[in-house]
Amino acid sequence: MRKYSLELLIGFFPVLLLFLIYMGVNVLPFVFLAVIAAAVLYTAQGRGKLTALTGGKSRNEVKAAPFSFDQIGGQERAKEELVEALDFLVKRDKIEKLGIRPLKGILLAGPPGTGKTLLAKAAAHYTDSIYLAASGSEFVEMYVGVGAGRVRDLFKEARTKAKKAGKSSAVIFIDEIEVIGGKRDGGQHREYDQTLNQLLTEMDGIHANESPRILLIAATNRKEMLDGALLRPGRFDRHIGVELPDKKGRQHILSIHAANKPLEDSVSLERLAEQTYSFSGAQLESVMNEAAIYAMREACELIAERHFLMAIDKVMLGEKTDRETSEEERRRVALHELGHAIMAELVRPGSVSQVALSPRGGALGYVRHQPQQDQYLYTKPFLNGQIRITLAGAAAEEMFYGDRSTGSRGDFDQAVNIVKTLVESGLTSLGIIHASMMTPESWAAITKEVLDEQMLAAKALLEERRDIFAAALETLLKEESLDGETFRRLMRSGEAA
Ligand code: ATP
C-alpha cells in the first residue's frame, strides 16, 4: 500500500507542475522545495534501512541451515521425549479435541556440550517454526527493568517474525536459564526478580489458540538452582535430561562429524568411541577436528588412528607444552607417574595403555588408561581402588624422596571427589547419611579417615614393588613414553628380579 502511495505521488507531481506552468505560475520555488523534500525523504529512508540492518535485525534470530534430529548423535531418549512433546504443537487439532492444555515450556537439563542447543534448533525445524535464541546472561543488566524489557521484546519479536515469515509457531531458546531463573531469595536481586517475573508473565500469556504459538525451550546445566515458580505445571513442565552419550551414542556422534572427513580405512569409530569414555558431544566434535589438524600438520591426505589418539589426549589433557624441566624434576615426575601406573595394573590388570613424561596442559606427565566399559554403578572396592590409583603418585614420591610435591594437587582433588561419592552413597564408616547432615568438620574427618587408609595401603603395595620402579625408571626417562605392553613387560621383569 505504502509502495503504491509513493508511486501515485511521483506520478501526480509532474502533472501538477505541467498544470501550474500552463496556468502561468512560476514553478521554480515549488521545484526547489520538492527537491529538498525528496532529499530529506531519501536520507530518512536510508537511515531507516540502517536501523533495520543493525538494531532492527534481531541478533537473536538464527537463520542457520535447517537442522534436523538426524544430525544429532546419540540422545535417542531425549529426542523421543522431545518429539513427543513437540507433537503437541504439530498435531494441534488432536490435542484440542482431547482438551489437553498447551505445552508452553520445555526444559533441557544436562552437562555442557551434550547437544541441548542442537535439540532446540531441531525442534524449531520439526515444528516448522521461527527460531530465536538468547542466553540468560544477555538479560542481566545493572539497571532494574532492562532485563524485563528484553524478555518482553524477545517475545514480541518472536511473534512479529513468525507472522512475517507466515509461520504458525515460534521457538524461543534461552540457554543458561539459571542466570535469570535462579531461586529468588527475597529482594536482594531485584533486577533478576523482575526479569524472571516478566518471563513468567509472558509464559502465562501463551494461549492454545493464539497464532503464532510460542514454545519456550530453555537449557541449563544446573537444574537444582532453578526457582520453583519456573518449574511448576503450566510453565516449564516438561523436563528432558540430556546426558553424556554412552558408547553407542559416542560412535554415532563421531560418525556424524566424520562425514566430511577423509579417514584411513583402518580407523574404527567403534574403537574411538571406546577410548572416549565420558566425553561430551562437543568434546567428540573437537576430537574429530583436532585429528584432522594433526593430519594436516603431517601433510597426510587421510586421517589415521594415531591422529585420533593424539587428538583424544589433547582434548583430555590439553596441548603439549614446551616447558623445559630439569633432570631432577623429570625423575620425580617419572617416579610419580610410575606410581600411578603400577597401582593401576595392581587394581585392574592390563589397564594401562600409556605412561608418558611429556608435559601437556597443566600436567608434566600422565598415564592413559584403557577404555572402561560404560559403567553407572560403582562398588566400594572399586572406588577405593580408584582412590589408591590417584594417591599412588604422591605415595611414590614419598617413598623415594621422603616428601611430596605440588604435582599431586589434581590427584587429591579427584580423590576427595571420590570420598564425597562414597559418603553420599552411604559407603563409609558414617553409614547411610545425607550430605545436609555433614558439617565441614565432619567432611574433613571422614575425608582424612578414608584417604589415610588408602594412602597407607597404596604405600605398602608400592613398597613391595620397589624393583619395578628400578626396572622401568631409566627406560621411561630415556623413551619419554611407554605403551601399555612395554610397561607391563618391564613390570614383569621387575617382579621377577
Ligand atoms: P552448553 O550447555 O555448553 O550450552 P549444549 O548442550 O547446548 O552446551 P551444543 O551447543 O548443542 O551443546 O553442542 C556444542 C557442539 O558440540 C555442537 O555444535 C556439535 O558440534 C557438538 N555436539 C554436541 N552434542 C552433539 C550430538 N549429540 N550430536 C552431534 N554433535 C554434537
Side-chain angles (χ1 to χ4, degrees):
M1 185 64 205
R2 204 172 155 263
K3 201 170 124 200
Y4 290 129
S5 44
L6 193 70
E7 277 164 6
L8 276 175
L9 193 72
I10 292 170
F12 174 71
F13 191 67
V15 177
L16 180 71
L17 275 186
L18 283 175
F19 175 70
L20 290 176
I21 292 169
Y22 177 73
M23 296 294 288
V25 180
N26 179 10
V27 293
L28 269 180
F30 291 105
V31 173
F32 188 64
L33 273 176
V35 169
I36 292 180
V40 169
L41 204 72
Y42 180 79
T43 337
Q45 263 193 356
R47 200 146 26 92
K49 265 186 204 146
L50 202 66
T51 338
L53 276 175
T54 53
K57 185 172 178 347
S58 150
R59 62 206 149 84
N60 300 314
E61 190 183 359
V62 184
K63 282 226 170 104
F67 197 89
S68 77
F69 282 116
D70 297 337
Q71 288 160 273
I72 303 175
Q75 306 300 358
E76 295 308 326
R77 199 189 43 79
K79 279 196 254 181
E80 250 169 52
E81 277 187 48
L82 188 56
V83 166
E84 189 194 280
L86 294 173
D87 282 341
F88 281 70
L89 261 187
V90 180
K91 300 173 183 161
R92 282 187 206 198
D93 32 343
K94 235 185 196 170
I95 76 155
E96 253 166 50
K97 257 190 215 148
L98 289 170
I100 298 172
R101 115 176 107 68
L103 186 70
K104 298 179 178 180
I106 299 175
L107 182 72
L108 304 175
T114 41
K116 297 184 287 295
T117 312
L118 301 185
L119 284 167
K121 279 186 194 166
H125 177 60
Y126 180 78
T127 53
D128 190 26
S129 306
I130 281 281
Y131 174 72
L132 267 88
S135 166
S137 45
E138 284 174 36
F139 299 102
V140 178
E141 279 291 337
M142 263 174 71
Y143 305 106
V144 175
V146 176
R150 286 197 186 147
V151 171
R152 215 174 307 124
D153 290 347
L154 185 62
F155 277 76
K156 212 158 88 191
E157 193 182 330
R159 291 193 173 98
T160 334
K161 290 258 152 71
K163 264 188 202 147
K164 228 171 158 182
K167 307 264 185 190
S168 60
S169 51
V171 166
I172 298 181
F173 175 62
I174 304 184
D175 204 357
E176 301 175 19
I177 186 81
E178 71 278 0
V179 177
I180 48 171
K183 289 199 173 89
R184 289 179 285 190
D185 48 6
Q188 274 167 351
H189 299 289
R190 283 200 51 219
E191 162 59 4
Y192 288 12
D193 284 3
Q194 282 207 10
T195 312
L196 177 55
N197 281 338
Q198 187 60 41
L199 185 66
L200 299 178
T201 314
E202 293 290 348
M203 288 189 86
D204 291 342
I206 300 174
H207 300 294
N209 42 13
E210 104 178 304
S211 182
R213 262 295 312 277
I214 306 254
L215 175 69
L216 204 58
I217 301 184
T220 181
N221 307 327
R222 314 184 62 186
K223 190 172 143 189
E224 72 289 348
M225 275 183 62
L226 293 182
D227 196 289
L230 207 53
L231 303 178
R232 80 157 172 71
R235 305 245 173 91
F236 285 102
D237 48 6
R238 276 281 160 144
H239 300 177
I240 299 178
V242 188
E243 300 302 334
L244 289 174
D246 59 7
K247 187 184 143 196
K248 221 168 108 207
R250 292 196 295 275
Q251 190 175 338
H252 189 187
I253 297 174
L254 286 168
S255 69
I256 288 175
H257 292 289
N260 62 349
K261 297 186 175 62
L263 308 190
E264 266 185 11
D265 286 342
S266 59
V267 172
S268 151
L269 293 184
E270 188 182 347
R271 227 171 17 241
L272 291 180
E274 270 168 16
Q275 300 268 1
T276 45
Y277 175 74
S278 88
F279 275 37
S280 69
Q283 284 174 313
L284 293 169
E285 190 273 336
S286 180
V287 165
M288 271 288 158
N289 201 44
E290 293 298 334
I293 294 174
Y294 280 123
M296 195 175 74
R297 270 190 210 163
E298 291 182 12
C300 299
E301 302 222 323
L302 300 175
I303 310 173
E305 184 112 7
R306 68 175 186 287
H307 299 133
F308 282 106
L309 295 183
M310 290 196 284
I312 292 173
D313 280 349
K314 179 172 176 194
V315 172
M316 204 154 44
L317 302 155
E319 182 65 289
K320 273 188 185 163
T321 53
D322 298 329
R323 226 172 292 155
E324 276 289 320
T325 45
S326 67
E327 205 40 50
E328 190 43 45
E329 235 171 21
R330 281 187 81 229
R331 184 169 283 270
R332 190 187 267 270
V333 174
L335 287 165
H336 180 110
E337 297 309 330
L338 284 174
H340 284 308
I342 294 170
M343 189 58 68
E345 284 292 322
L346 293 178
V347 173
R348 274 196 306 280
S351 68
V352 171
S353 80
Q354 194 188 15
V355 190
L357 276 191
S358 44
R360 241 179 207 289
L364 294 172
Y366 61 93
V367 174
R368 193 140 63 81
H369 301 274
Q370 289 286 4
Q372 296 177 28
Q373 283 264 326
D374 283 359
Q375 198 175 334
Y376 304 98
L377 280 180
Y378 300 101
T379 59
K380 184 172 172 177
F382 179 92
L383 291 172
N384 278 338
Q386 283 303 111
I387 296 181
R388 282 199 299 280
I389 297 173
T390 55
L391 296 182
E397 284 188 57
E398 276 192 21
M399 259 170 69
F400 291 93
Y401 293 94
D403 60 15
R404 301 197 288 248
S405 67
T406 51
S408 309
R409 215 164 54 187
D411 299 338
F412 294 158
D413 280 348
Q414 276 184 38
V416 169
N417 278 335
I418 303 174
V419 174
K420 192 162 169 264
T421 308
L422 280 167
V423 171
E424 287 171 353
S425 315
L427 296 175
T428 63
S429 59
L430 296 175
I432 300 170
I433 194 167
H434 193 269
S436 63
M437 295 149 80
M438 300 282 290
T439 60
E441 291 73 29
S442 46
W443 272 118
I446 191 68
T447 308
K448 184 170 165 22
E449 182 191 308
V450 175
L451 295 190
D452 280 356
E453 191 185 324
Q454 295 310 321
M455 185 62 133
L456 262 179
K459 273 191 198 160
L461 286 165
L462 292 182
E463 197 60 64
E464 289 168 18
R465 288 162 179 85
R466 267 184 183 261
D467 291 342
I468 302 181
F469 284 93
L473 181 65
E474 293 311 319
T475 323
L476 178 59
L477 285 171
K478 200 162 106 233
E479 306 282 329
E480 291 219 330
S481 167
L482 304 175
D483 63 43
E485 271 320 308
T486 315
F487 172 68
R488 275 184 284 279
R489 212 174 41 247
L490 288 168
M491 200 166 154
R492 281 194 295 274
S493 72
E495 268 168 335

